[in-house]
Amino acid sequence: MDLEKIEKRNLYYTLQILFITESMRTKISARNMKKIVEVLDALVDETKIEFDEEGMKIKAIDPGHVAMATIELGKEGFVEYDVNEKNVIGIDLNKIIDFLKNINDDIEIIVDGNKATLNAGYLSKTIALIDPENITVPVLKDPELPNKVVLGTGELRAGIRAGENVADSILIQLTPEGLKLVAKGEEDKTELFLPKEILKELVCKSEAKSIYPMDYLLAITKPISSENVTINLDTDKPLKIEFDIYDGEGKVNYLLAPRIE
C-alpha cells in the first residue's frame, strides 16, 4: 500500500471539506433573483449584500442620496440556503444583469473569498466581488411618518405615469377624504384622486402633502410586482413605499426625499 498516495488523498479530501465549510452557498429561483436586481437597478450600479442565518438583507442608496432601497428576504424565499454565519459581499449589478438575461433555471450562488460563482443549468459564471468596505451606505434614522395609505399598485402607477410628460415632479396629498396625485406643468396638468372608499386602508392623522421627483417615482414603482402597495408620508418628509415580494416571504421599502419649494 502506497502511504504517500493515501496521505495525499486524505489531504485532498480535507481541503475539499474546508472549502465547502468556508464557502457560502445559496440557491434562488431566476424569477426571484431578477426581481431583486430590478429593485436595486432602479437606484444603483453596485450594492452591499448581507447574508446571515435568517436570510438576506440589502440596503442601497443612489449616488445623489435622493432615494434608498431596503430589501429583506428570509431564508424561506430561497430554494436552498446554506449560510452558517454572517457574510457581507459587494456586487457589481451589471455583471449579474448580463448573466440573468437568458436564465430561467434556479441559480446556485457560491461565495468563496473575493469570488462568487453563479451556476444555472449548464451555464456557470465566476465574478470578482467588490470589497464591501468600499460601498458606503449612510445610517439613516427611519423617519416618523404617521399617515398611511394602502392602494392598488396599478392605481399608483397610473397616477404617476399620467404626469410623466407634463412635469418633472408630482404632488402627493393625503386627506381624510382620500389620496391625490397632481402633476402640473407650464400649460398642462394631470390629477388622480382616489377616494377613501376605494382605498384598501387610510390612516390620516393630519393632512399631508409633499412634492417628489417624477423620474425617481417612475423608476422605483416600475419593479413593484405585488397587487397592493403601502405608502407612508407627511408634509415635507420622505415618502416611504413598501411592498411584499415572493408571496410575502420578502419585503421591499423605498425612501424618497421630497423637493422642498
Side-chain angles (χ1 to χ4, degrees), residues 23-29 33 36-37 49 51 56 78 80-83 89 91 96 99-100 106-112 115-120 125 127 129:
S23 296
M24 186 199 77
R25 178 183 173 277
T26 65
K27 183 177 283 190
I28 188 170
S29 71
M33 184 71 168
I36 291 172
V37 171
I49 305 176
F51 296 89
M56 180 189 73
F78 291 80
E80 296 178 21
Y81 194 80
D82 184 13
V83 179
I89 63 173
I91 289 278
I96 305 294
F99 182 77
L100 292 176
D106 291 342
I107 302 167
E108 180 187 51
I109 305 169
I110 300 173
V111 174
D112 185 48
K115 300 280 186 181
T117 300
L118 312 177
N119 300 312
K125 181 177 183 178
I127 61 173
L129 296 174

PDB file of all heavy atoms in Angstrom, residues 23-29 33 36-37 49 51 56 78 80-83 89 91 96 99-100 106-112 115-120 125 127 129:
ATOM      1  N   SER A  23     -17.156  28.229   2.350  1.00  0.00           N
ATOM      2  CA  SER A  23     -17.910  28.908   1.317  1.00  0.00           C
ATOM      3  C   SER A  23     -19.349  29.102   1.757  1.00  0.00           C
ATOM      4  O   SER A  23     -19.884  28.337   2.546  1.00  0.00           O
ATOM      5  CB  SER A  23     -17.876  28.095   0.020  1.00  0.00           C
ATOM      6  OG  SER A  23     -16.574  28.001  -0.472  1.00  0.00           O
ATOM      7  N   MET A  24     -19.979  30.146   1.216  1.00  0.00           N
ATOM      8  CA  MET A  24     -21.400  30.370   1.423  1.00  0.00           C
ATOM      9  C   MET A  24     -22.136  29.923   0.178  1.00  0.00           C
ATOM     10  O   MET A  24     -21.753  30.271  -0.939  1.00  0.00           O
ATOM     11  CB  MET A  24     -21.650  31.857   1.676  1.00  0.00           C
ATOM     12  CG  MET A  24     -23.065  32.198   2.048  1.00  0.00           C
ATOM     13  SD  MET A  24     -23.411  33.951   1.798  1.00  0.00           S
ATOM     14  CE  MET A  24     -23.614  34.001   0.018  1.00  0.00           C
ATOM     15  N   ARG A  25     -23.174  29.153   0.350  1.00  0.00           N
ATOM     16  CA  ARG A  25     -23.895  28.609  -0.807  1.00  0.00           C
ATOM     17  C   ARG A  25     -25.393  28.824  -0.637  1.00  0.00           C
ATOM     18  O   ARG A  25     -25.970  28.516   0.401  1.00  0.00           O
ATOM     19  CB  ARG A  25     -23.602  27.111  -0.951  1.00  0.00           C
ATOM     20  CG  ARG A  25     -24.342  26.443  -2.100  1.00  0.00           C
ATOM     21  CD  ARG A  25     -24.054  24.958  -2.130  1.00  0.00           C
ATOM     22  NE  ARG A  25     -24.868  24.284  -3.117  1.00  0.00           N
ATOM     23  CZ  ARG A  25     -26.124  23.870  -2.923  1.00  0.00           C
ATOM     24  NH1 ARG A  25     -26.693  24.059  -1.727  1.00  0.00           N
ATOM     25  NH2 ARG A  25     -26.803  23.278  -3.874  1.00  0.00           N
ATOM     26  N   THR A  26     -26.004  29.394  -1.686  1.00  0.00           N
ATOM     27  CA  THR A  26     -27.459  29.540  -1.704  1.00  0.00           C
ATOM     28  C   THR A  26     -27.961  29.182  -3.099  1.00  0.00           C
ATOM     29  O   THR A  26     -27.192  29.143  -4.065  1.00  0.00           O
ATOM     30  CB  THR A  26     -27.902  30.984  -1.378  1.00  0.00           C
ATOM     31  OG1 THR A  26     -27.445  31.848  -2.414  1.00  0.00           O
ATOM     32  CG2 THR A  26     -27.353  31.453  -0.049  1.00  0.00           C
ATOM     33  N   LYS A  27     -29.260  28.930  -3.184  1.00  0.00           N
ATOM     34  CA  LYS A  27     -29.885  28.707  -4.490  1.00  0.00           C
ATOM     35  C   LYS A  27     -31.210  29.460  -4.485  1.00  0.00           C
ATOM     36  O   LYS A  27     -31.979  29.391  -3.526  1.00  0.00           O
ATOM     37  CB  LYS A  27     -30.118  27.217  -4.747  1.00  0.00           C
ATOM     38  CG  LYS A  27     -30.696  26.944  -6.148  1.00  0.00           C
ATOM     39  CD  LYS A  27     -30.859  25.448  -6.403  1.00  0.00           C
ATOM     40  CE  LYS A  27     -29.530  24.796  -6.709  1.00  0.00           C
ATOM     41  NZ  LYS A  27     -29.703  23.398  -7.180  1.00  0.00           N
ATOM     42  N   ILE A  28     -31.462  30.206  -5.561  1.00  0.00           N
ATOM     43  CA  ILE A  28     -32.648  31.048  -5.647  1.00  0.00           C
ATOM     44  C   ILE A  28     -33.240  30.926  -7.043  1.00  0.00           C
ATOM     45  O   ILE A  28     -32.511  30.684  -8.021  1.00  0.00           O
ATOM     46  CB  ILE A  28     -32.281  32.520  -5.319  1.00  0.00           C
ATOM     47  CG1 ILE A  28     -33.527  33.393  -5.197  1.00  0.00           C
ATOM     48  CG2 ILE A  28     -31.310  33.094  -6.347  1.00  0.00           C
ATOM     49  CD1 ILE A  28     -33.239  34.781  -4.652  1.00  0.00           C
ATOM     50  N   SER A  29     -34.548  31.066  -7.161  1.00  0.00           N
ATOM     51  CA  SER A  29     -35.173  30.971  -8.484  1.00  0.00           C
ATOM     52  C   SER A  29     -34.762  32.170  -9.328  1.00  0.00           C
ATOM     53  O   SER A  29     -34.492  33.263  -8.807  1.00  0.00           O
ATOM     54  CB  SER A  29     -36.702  30.929  -8.360  1.00  0.00           C
ATOM     55  OG  SER A  29     -37.202  32.187  -7.962  1.00  0.00           O
ATOM     56  N   MET A  33     -34.501  36.192  -8.289  1.00  0.00           N
ATOM     57  CA  MET A  33     -33.224  36.897  -8.452  1.00  0.00           C
ATOM     58  C   MET A  33     -33.399  38.121  -9.358  1.00  0.00           C
ATOM     59  O   MET A  33     -32.878  39.203  -9.076  1.00  0.00           O
ATOM     60  CB  MET A  33     -32.187  35.948  -9.045  1.00  0.00           C
ATOM     61  CG  MET A  33     -30.805  36.537  -9.171  1.00  0.00           C
ATOM     62  SD  MET A  33     -30.018  36.753  -7.551  1.00  0.00           S
ATOM     63  CE  MET A  33     -28.340  37.089  -8.060  1.00  0.00           C
ATOM     64  N   ILE A  36     -35.064  41.016  -7.450  1.00  0.00           N
ATOM     65  CA  ILE A  36     -34.135  41.728  -6.568  1.00  0.00           C
ATOM     66  C   ILE A  36     -33.284  42.704  -7.376  1.00  0.00           C
ATOM     67  O   ILE A  36     -33.101  43.866  -6.991  1.00  0.00           O
ATOM     68  CB  ILE A  36     -33.232  40.736  -5.819  1.00  0.00           C
ATOM     69  CG1 ILE A  36     -34.043  39.935  -4.795  1.00  0.00           C
ATOM     70  CG2 ILE A  36     -32.083  41.461  -5.112  1.00  0.00           C
ATOM     71  CD1 ILE A  36     -33.276  38.802  -4.159  1.00  0.00           C
ATOM     72  N   VAL A  37     -32.764  42.233  -8.509  1.00  0.00           N
ATOM     73  CA  VAL A  37     -31.904  43.074  -9.342  1.00  0.00           C
ATOM     74  C   VAL A  37     -32.691  44.260  -9.901  1.00  0.00           C
ATOM     75  O   VAL A  37     -32.183  45.382  -9.965  1.00  0.00           O
ATOM     76  CB  VAL A  37     -31.279  42.238 -10.477  1.00  0.00           C
ATOM     77  CG1 VAL A  37     -30.566  43.139 -11.486  1.00  0.00           C
ATOM     78  CG2 VAL A  37     -30.291  41.221  -9.896  1.00  0.00           C
ATOM     79  N   ILE A  49     -24.426  43.320   0.086  1.00  0.00           N
ATOM     80  CA  ILE A  49     -25.448  42.342   0.465  1.00  0.00           C
ATOM     81  C   ILE A  49     -24.991  41.622   1.722  1.00  0.00           C
ATOM     82  O   ILE A  49     -23.861  41.155   1.803  1.00  0.00           O
ATOM     83  CB  ILE A  49     -25.696  41.312  -0.657  1.00  0.00           C
ATOM     84  CG1 ILE A  49     -26.045  42.025  -1.973  1.00  0.00           C
ATOM     85  CG2 ILE A  49     -26.818  40.357  -0.262  1.00  0.00           C
ATOM     86  CD1 ILE A  49     -26.211  41.085  -3.156  1.00  0.00           C
ATOM     87  N   PHE A  51     -25.688  38.458   4.271  1.00  0.00           N
ATOM     88  CA  PHE A  51     -26.320  37.163   4.493  1.00  0.00           C
ATOM     89  C   PHE A  51     -26.051  36.723   5.929  1.00  0.00           C
ATOM     90  O   PHE A  51     -24.943  36.882   6.430  1.00  0.00           O
ATOM     91  CB  PHE A  51     -25.751  36.089   3.559  1.00  0.00           C
ATOM     92  CG  PHE A  51     -26.010  36.330   2.091  1.00  0.00           C
ATOM     93  CD1 PHE A  51     -25.118  37.067   1.335  1.00  0.00           C
ATOM     94  CD2 PHE A  51     -27.132  35.803   1.478  1.00  0.00           C
ATOM     95  CE1 PHE A  51     -25.342  37.289  -0.020  1.00  0.00           C
ATOM     96  CE2 PHE A  51     -27.363  36.010   0.123  1.00  0.00           C
ATOM     97  CZ  PHE A  51     -26.465  36.758  -0.624  1.00  0.00           C
ATOM     98  N   MET A  56     -31.378  37.193   3.870  1.00  0.00           N
ATOM     99  CA  MET A  56     -30.588  38.202   3.167  1.00  0.00           C
ATOM    100  C   MET A  56     -31.143  39.593   3.430  1.00  0.00           C
ATOM    101  O   MET A  56     -32.361  39.787   3.473  1.00  0.00           O
ATOM    102  CB  MET A  56     -30.630  37.915   1.669  1.00  0.00           C
ATOM    103  CG  MET A  56     -29.851  38.888   0.801  1.00  0.00           C
ATOM    104  SD  MET A  56     -30.191  38.612  -0.956  1.00  0.00           S
ATOM    105  CE  MET A  56     -31.855  39.257  -1.070  1.00  0.00           C
ATOM    106  N   PHE A  78     -35.564  31.281  -0.488  1.00  0.00           N
ATOM    107  CA  PHE A  78     -34.549  30.642  -1.317  1.00  0.00           C
ATOM    108  C   PHE A  78     -34.936  29.190  -1.564  1.00  0.00           C
ATOM    109  O   PHE A  78     -35.600  28.554  -0.737  1.00  0.00           O
ATOM    110  CB  PHE A  78     -33.182  30.686  -0.641  1.00  0.00           C
ATOM    111  CG  PHE A  78     -32.590  32.075  -0.552  1.00  0.00           C
ATOM    112  CD1 PHE A  78     -32.999  32.959   0.439  1.00  0.00           C
ATOM    113  CD2 PHE A  78     -31.624  32.488  -1.455  1.00  0.00           C
ATOM    114  CE1 PHE A  78     -32.466  34.233   0.531  1.00  0.00           C
ATOM    115  CE2 PHE A  78     -31.079  33.760  -1.370  1.00  0.00           C
ATOM    116  CZ  PHE A  78     -31.506  34.641  -0.375  1.00  0.00           C
ATOM    117  N   GLU A  80     -32.598  26.836  -1.789  1.00  0.00           N
ATOM    118  CA  GLU A  80     -31.696  26.237  -0.803  1.00  0.00           C
ATOM    119  C   GLU A  80     -30.931  27.373  -0.135  1.00  0.00           C
ATOM    120  O   GLU A  80     -30.641  28.393  -0.770  1.00  0.00           O
ATOM    121  CB  GLU A  80     -30.717  25.257  -1.463  1.00  0.00           C
ATOM    122  CG  GLU A  80     -31.379  24.045  -2.098  1.00  0.00           C
ATOM    123  CD  GLU A  80     -30.368  23.132  -2.783  1.00  0.00           C
ATOM    124  OE1 GLU A  80     -29.181  23.202  -2.442  1.00  0.00           O
ATOM    125  OE2 GLU A  80     -30.776  22.361  -3.675  1.00  0.00           O
ATOM    126  N   TYR A  81     -30.607  27.191   1.145  1.00  0.00           N
ATOM    127  CA  TYR A  81     -29.920  28.264   1.866  1.00  0.00           C
ATOM    128  C   TYR A  81     -28.965  27.645   2.874  1.00  0.00           C
ATOM    129  O   TYR A  81     -29.369  27.073   3.876  1.00  0.00           O
ATOM    130  CB  TYR A  81     -30.944  29.148   2.580  1.00  0.00           C
ATOM    131  CG  TYR A  81     -30.384  30.460   3.072  1.00  0.00           C
ATOM    132  CD1 TYR A  81     -30.213  31.535   2.202  1.00  0.00           C
ATOM    133  CD2 TYR A  81     -30.040  30.630   4.408  1.00  0.00           C
ATOM    134  CE1 TYR A  81     -29.696  32.742   2.660  1.00  0.00           C
ATOM    135  CE2 TYR A  81     -29.530  31.842   4.868  1.00  0.00           C
ATOM    136  CZ  TYR A  81     -29.354  32.888   3.985  1.00  0.00           C
ATOM    137  OH  TYR A  81     -28.842  34.090   4.427  1.00  0.00           O
ATOM    138  N   ASP A  82     -27.666  27.752   2.568  1.00  0.00           N
ATOM    139  CA  ASP A  82     -26.639  27.164   3.422  1.00  0.00           C
ATOM    140  C   ASP A  82     -25.692  28.267   3.879  1.00  0.00           C
ATOM    141  O   ASP A  82     -24.630  28.499   3.298  1.00  0.00           O
ATOM    142  CB  ASP A  82     -25.884  26.071   2.652  1.00  0.00           C
ATOM    143  CG  ASP A  82     -24.864  25.359   3.529  1.00  0.00           C
ATOM    144  OD1 ASP A  82     -24.922  25.536   4.758  1.00  0.00           O
ATOM    145  OD2 ASP A  82     -24.014  24.629   2.982  1.00  0.00           O
ATOM    146  N   VAL A  83     -26.115  29.008   4.901  1.00  0.00           N
ATOM    147  CA  VAL A  83     -25.322  30.105   5.466  1.00  0.00           C
ATOM    148  C   VAL A  83     -25.280  29.905   6.973  1.00  0.00           C
ATOM    149  O   VAL A  83     -26.315  29.914   7.634  1.00  0.00           O
ATOM    150  CB  VAL A  83     -25.932  31.476   5.130  1.00  0.00           C
ATOM    151  CG1 VAL A  83     -25.101  32.589   5.740  1.00  0.00           C
ATOM    152  CG2 VAL A  83     -26.046  31.667   3.620  1.00  0.00           C
ATOM    153  N   ILE A  89     -20.983  40.866   1.276  1.00  0.00           N
ATOM    154  CA  ILE A  89     -20.273  40.907  -0.004  1.00  0.00           C
ATOM    155  C   ILE A  89     -20.688  42.158  -0.775  1.00  0.00           C
ATOM    156  O   ILE A  89     -21.725  42.757  -0.510  1.00  0.00           O
ATOM    157  CB  ILE A  89     -20.555  39.651  -0.860  1.00  0.00           C
ATOM    158  CG1 ILE A  89     -22.040  39.568  -1.230  1.00  0.00           C
ATOM    159  CG2 ILE A  89     -20.109  38.400  -0.134  1.00  0.00           C
ATOM    160  CD1 ILE A  89     -22.369  38.461  -2.209  1.00  0.00           C
ATOM    161  N   ILE A  91     -21.331  43.569  -4.757  1.00  0.00           N
ATOM    162  CA  ILE A  91     -21.645  43.044  -6.083  1.00  0.00           C
ATOM    163  C   ILE A  91     -21.760  44.182  -7.096  1.00  0.00           C
ATOM    164  O   ILE A  91     -22.375  45.213  -6.818  1.00  0.00           O
ATOM    165  CB  ILE A  91     -22.979  42.258  -6.056  1.00  0.00           C
ATOM    166  CG1 ILE A  91     -22.821  40.942  -5.305  1.00  0.00           C
ATOM    167  CG2 ILE A  91     -23.501  42.000  -7.457  1.00  0.00           C
ATOM    168  CD1 ILE A  91     -22.227  39.823  -6.120  1.00  0.00           C
ATOM    169  N   ILE A  96     -24.309  40.808 -12.893  1.00  0.00           N
ATOM    170  CA  ILE A  96     -25.434  39.923 -12.616  1.00  0.00           C
ATOM    171  C   ILE A  96     -26.489  40.050 -13.710  1.00  0.00           C
ATOM    172  O   ILE A  96     -27.060  39.049 -14.163  1.00  0.00           O
ATOM    173  CB  ILE A  96     -26.065  40.250 -11.247  1.00  0.00           C
ATOM    174  CG1 ILE A  96     -25.004  40.191 -10.148  1.00  0.00           C
ATOM    175  CG2 ILE A  96     -27.217  39.319 -10.944  1.00  0.00           C
ATOM    176  CD1 ILE A  96     -24.455  38.819  -9.910  1.00  0.00           C
ATOM    177  N   PHE A  99     -25.690  38.065 -16.764  1.00  0.00           N
ATOM    178  CA  PHE A  99     -25.867  36.624 -16.563  1.00  0.00           C
ATOM    179  C   PHE A  99     -27.346  36.236 -16.603  1.00  0.00           C
ATOM    180  O   PHE A  99     -27.707  35.163 -17.078  1.00  0.00           O
ATOM    181  CB  PHE A  99     -25.255  36.217 -15.220  1.00  0.00           C
ATOM    182  CG  PHE A  99     -25.331  34.754 -14.916  1.00  0.00           C
ATOM    183  CD1 PHE A  99     -24.471  33.848 -15.522  1.00  0.00           C
ATOM    184  CD2 PHE A  99     -26.276  34.272 -14.016  1.00  0.00           C
ATOM    185  CE1 PHE A  99     -24.547  32.495 -15.239  1.00  0.00           C
ATOM    186  CE2 PHE A  99     -26.352  32.916 -13.723  1.00  0.00           C
ATOM    187  CZ  PHE A  99     -25.488  32.027 -14.334  1.00  0.00           C
ATOM    188  N   LEU A 100     -28.204  37.108 -16.115  1.00  0.00           N
ATOM    189  CA  LEU A 100     -29.628  36.773 -15.977  1.00  0.00           C
ATOM    190  C   LEU A 100     -30.425  36.892 -17.265  1.00  0.00           C
ATOM    191  O   LEU A 100     -31.562  36.421 -17.320  1.00  0.00           O
ATOM    192  CB  LEU A 100     -30.269  37.698 -14.928  1.00  0.00           C
ATOM    193  CG  LEU A 100     -29.835  37.520 -13.475  1.00  0.00           C
ATOM    194  CD1 LEU A 100     -30.489  38.588 -12.608  1.00  0.00           C
ATOM    195  CD2 LEU A 100     -30.204  36.141 -12.967  1.00  0.00           C
ATOM    196  N   ASP A 106     -33.140  27.663 -11.716  1.00  0.00           N
ATOM    197  CA  ASP A 106     -32.696  28.088 -10.391  1.00  0.00           C
ATOM    198  C   ASP A 106     -31.207  28.424 -10.459  1.00  0.00           C
ATOM    199  O   ASP A 106     -30.442  27.781 -11.184  1.00  0.00           O
ATOM    200  CB  ASP A 106     -32.914  26.975  -9.358  1.00  0.00           C
ATOM    201  CG  ASP A 106     -34.386  26.741  -9.092  1.00  0.00           C
ATOM    202  OD1 ASP A 106     -35.202  27.622  -9.407  1.00  0.00           O
ATOM    203  OD2 ASP A 106     -34.725  25.650  -8.575  1.00  0.00           O
ATOM    204  N   ILE A 107     -30.804  29.434  -9.690  1.00  0.00           N
ATOM    205  CA  ILE A 107     -29.425  29.915  -9.731  1.00  0.00           C
ATOM    206  C   ILE A 107     -28.728  29.576  -8.422  1.00  0.00           C
ATOM    207  O   ILE A 107     -29.166  30.003  -7.346  1.00  0.00           O
ATOM    208  CB  ILE A 107     -29.378  31.433  -9.962  1.00  0.00           C
ATOM    209  CG1 ILE A 107     -30.100  31.786 -11.274  1.00  0.00           C
ATOM    210  CG2 ILE A 107     -27.943  31.940  -9.986  1.00  0.00           C
ATOM    211  CD1 ILE A 107     -30.373  33.257 -11.440  1.00  0.00           C
ATOM    212  N   GLU A 108     -27.659  28.801  -8.521  1.00  0.00           N
ATOM    213  CA  GLU A 108     -26.839  28.483  -7.357  1.00  0.00           C
ATOM    214  C   GLU A 108     -25.761  29.554  -7.237  1.00  0.00           C
ATOM    215  O   GLU A 108     -25.113  29.908  -8.219  1.00  0.00           O
ATOM    216  CB  GLU A 108     -26.190  27.109  -7.522  1.00  0.00           C
ATOM    217  CG  GLU A 108     -25.306  26.712  -6.346  1.00  0.00           C
ATOM    218  CD  GLU A 108     -24.553  25.424  -6.605  1.00  0.00           C
ATOM    219  OE1 GLU A 108     -23.906  25.330  -7.683  1.00  0.00           O
ATOM    220  OE2 GLU A 108     -24.603  24.534  -5.755  1.00  0.00           O
ATOM    221  N   ILE A 109     -25.589  30.089  -6.026  1.00  0.00           N
ATOM    222  CA  ILE A 109     -24.588  31.124  -5.771  1.00  0.00           C
ATOM    223  C   ILE A 109     -23.609  30.601  -4.727  1.00  0.00           C
ATOM    224  O   ILE A 109     -24.012  30.269  -3.612  1.00  0.00           O
ATOM    225  CB  ILE A 109     -25.238  32.422  -5.264  1.00  0.00           C
ATOM    226  CG1 ILE A 109     -26.320  32.896  -6.237  1.00  0.00           C
ATOM    227  CG2 ILE A 109     -24.179  33.510  -5.065  1.00  0.00           C
ATOM    228  CD1 ILE A 109     -27.183  34.014  -5.689  1.00  0.00           C
ATOM    229  N   ILE A 110     -22.351  30.503  -5.096  1.00  0.00           N
ATOM    230  CA  ILE A 110     -21.312  30.045  -4.179  1.00  0.00           C
ATOM    231  C   ILE A 110     -20.306  31.172  -4.007  1.00  0.00           C
ATOM    232  O   ILE A 110     -19.733  31.665  -4.978  1.00  0.00           O
ATOM    233  CB  ILE A 110     -20.601  28.785  -4.710  1.00  0.00           C
ATOM    234  CG1 ILE A 110     -21.595  27.629  -4.890  1.00  0.00           C
ATOM    235  CG2 ILE A 110     -19.479  28.360  -3.750  1.00  0.00           C
ATOM    236  CD1 ILE A 110     -21.000  26.410  -5.553  1.00  0.00           C
ATOM    237  N   VAL A 111     -20.112  31.601  -2.783  1.00  0.00           N
ATOM    238  CA  VAL A 111     -19.160  32.676  -2.479  1.00  0.00           C
ATOM    239  C   VAL A 111     -17.959  32.082  -1.777  1.00  0.00           C
ATOM    240  O   VAL A 111     -18.101  31.353  -0.790  1.00  0.00           O
ATOM    241  CB  VAL A 111     -19.816  33.753  -1.593  1.00  0.00           C
ATOM    242  CG1 VAL A 111     -18.785  34.790  -1.162  1.00  0.00           C
ATOM    243  CG2 VAL A 111     -20.971  34.427  -2.329  1.00  0.00           C
ATOM    244  N   ASP A 112     -16.788  32.374  -2.291  1.00  0.00           N
ATOM    245  CA  ASP A 112     -15.552  31.916  -1.674  1.00  0.00           C
ATOM    246  C   ASP A 112     -14.526  33.032  -1.782  1.00  0.00           C
ATOM    247  O   ASP A 112     -14.068  33.367  -2.879  1.00  0.00           O
ATOM    248  CB  ASP A 112     -15.034  30.649  -2.357  1.00  0.00           C
ATOM    249  CG  ASP A 112     -13.807  30.094  -1.656  1.00  0.00           C
ATOM    250  OD1 ASP A 112     -13.838  29.976  -0.422  1.00  0.00           O
ATOM    251  OD2 ASP A 112     -12.816  29.805  -2.337  1.00  0.00           O
ATOM    252  N   LYS A 115     -14.500  35.966  -4.643  1.00  0.00           N
ATOM    253  CA  LYS A 115     -15.114  35.479  -5.876  1.00  0.00           C
ATOM    254  C   LYS A 115     -16.504  34.925  -5.578  1.00  0.00           C
ATOM    255  O   LYS A 115     -16.771  34.398  -4.501  1.00  0.00           O
ATOM    256  CB  LYS A 115     -14.261  34.370  -6.507  1.00  0.00           C
ATOM    257  CG  LYS A 115     -12.841  34.768  -6.879  1.00  0.00           C
ATOM    258  CD  LYS A 115     -12.800  35.528  -8.183  1.00  0.00           C
ATOM    259  CE  LYS A 115     -11.370  35.794  -8.622  1.00  0.00           C
ATOM    260  NZ  LYS A 115     -11.308  36.558  -9.888  1.00  0.00           N
ATOM    261  N   ALA A 116     -17.388  35.041  -6.560  1.00  0.00           N
ATOM    262  CA  ALA A 116     -18.707  34.411  -6.485  1.00  0.00           C
ATOM    263  C   ALA A 116     -18.939  33.655  -7.782  1.00  0.00           C
ATOM    264  O   ALA A 116     -18.667  34.169  -8.874  1.00  0.00           O
ATOM    265  CB  ALA A 116     -19.805  35.439  -6.271  1.00  0.00           C
ATOM    266  N   THR A 117     -19.416  32.427  -7.667  1.00  0.00           N
ATOM    267  CA  THR A 117     -19.725  31.612  -8.833  1.00  0.00           C
ATOM    268  C   THR A 117     -21.236  31.443  -8.931  1.00  0.00           C
ATOM    269  O   THR A 117     -21.904  31.078  -7.959  1.00  0.00           O
ATOM    270  CB  THR A 117     -19.060  30.231  -8.748  1.00  0.00           C
ATOM    271  OG1 THR A 117     -17.642  30.412  -8.658  1.00  0.00           O
ATOM    272  CG2 THR A 117     -19.372  29.399  -9.972  1.00  0.00           C
ATOM    273  N   LEU A 118     -21.773  31.724 -10.119  1.00  0.00           N
ATOM    274  CA  LEU A 118     -23.202  31.573 -10.392  1.00  0.00           C
ATOM    275  C   LEU A 118     -23.387  30.391 -11.327  1.00  0.00           C
ATOM    276  O   LEU A 118     -22.797  30.347 -12.407  1.00  0.00           O
ATOM    277  CB  LEU A 118     -23.761  32.841 -11.037  1.00  0.00           C
ATOM    278  CG  LEU A 118     -23.411  34.179 -10.379  1.00  0.00           C
ATOM    279  CD1 LEU A 118     -23.982  35.332 -11.193  1.00  0.00           C
ATOM    280  CD2 LEU A 118     -23.943  34.236  -8.957  1.00  0.00           C
ATOM    281  N   ASN A 119     -24.194  29.431 -10.907  1.00  0.00           N
ATOM    282  CA  ASN A 119     -24.475  28.254 -11.726  1.00  0.00           C
ATOM    283  C   ASN A 119     -25.971  28.181 -12.011  1.00  0.00           C
ATOM    284  O   ASN A 119     -26.788  28.248 -11.095  1.00  0.00           O
ATOM    285  CB  ASN A 119     -24.048  26.970 -11.003  1.00  0.00           C
ATOM    286  CG  ASN A 119     -22.556  26.948 -10.695  1.00  0.00           C
ATOM    287  OD1 ASN A 119     -21.736  27.236 -11.554  1.00  0.00           O
ATOM    288  ND2 ASN A 119     -22.206  26.604  -9.456  1.00  0.00           N
ATOM    289  N   ALA A 120     -26.319  28.036 -13.281  1.00  0.00           N
ATOM    290  CA  ALA A 120     -27.724  27.893 -13.668  1.00  0.00           C
ATOM    291  C   ALA A 120     -27.793  26.927 -14.839  1.00  0.00           C
ATOM    292  O   ALA A 120     -27.282  27.220 -15.928  1.00  0.00           O
ATOM    293  CB  ALA A 120     -28.326  29.237 -14.052  1.00  0.00           C
ATOM    294  N   LYS A 125     -20.811  31.129 -14.267  1.00  0.00           N
ATOM    295  CA  LYS A 125     -20.055  32.374 -14.395  1.00  0.00           C
ATOM    296  C   LYS A 125     -19.423  32.698 -13.052  1.00  0.00           C
ATOM    297  O   LYS A 125     -20.101  32.663 -12.021  1.00  0.00           O
ATOM    298  CB  LYS A 125     -20.970  33.522 -14.835  1.00  0.00           C
ATOM    299  CG  LYS A 125     -20.229  34.859 -15.001  1.00  0.00           C
ATOM    300  CD  LYS A 125     -21.161  35.952 -15.511  1.00  0.00           C
ATOM    301  CE  LYS A 125     -20.402  37.253 -15.742  1.00  0.00           C
ATOM    302  NZ  LYS A 125     -21.273  38.315 -16.283  1.00  0.00           N
ATOM    303  N   ILE A 127     -17.439  35.661 -10.941  1.00  0.00           N
ATOM    304  CA  ILE A 127     -17.216  37.101 -10.984  1.00  0.00           C
ATOM    305  C   ILE A 127     -16.401  37.536  -9.762  1.00  0.00           C
ATOM    306  O   ILE A 127     -16.460  36.910  -8.702  1.00  0.00           O
ATOM    307  CB  ILE A 127     -18.543  37.888 -11.013  1.00  0.00           C
ATOM    308  CG1 ILE A 127     -19.374  37.604  -9.753  1.00  0.00           C
ATOM    309  CG2 ILE A 127     -19.329  37.584 -12.265  1.00  0.00           C
ATOM    310  CD1 ILE A 127     -20.622  38.472  -9.645  1.00  0.00           C
ATOM    311  N   LEU A 129     -15.762  39.905  -6.701  1.00  0.00           N
ATOM    312  CA  LEU A 129     -16.597  40.690  -5.812  1.00  0.00           C
ATOM    313  C   LEU A 129     -15.928  42.022  -5.481  1.00  0.00           C
ATOM    314  O   LEU A 129     -14.718  42.176  -5.624  1.00  0.00           O
ATOM    315  CB  LEU A 129     -16.865  39.913  -4.518  1.00  0.00           C
ATOM    316  CG  LEU A 129     -17.652  38.612  -4.678  1.00  0.00           C
ATOM    317  CD1 LEU A 129     -17.718  37.871  -3.351  1.00  0.00           C
ATOM    318  CD2 LEU A 129     -19.056  38.887  -5.213  1.00  0.00           C
TER     319      LEU A 129
END
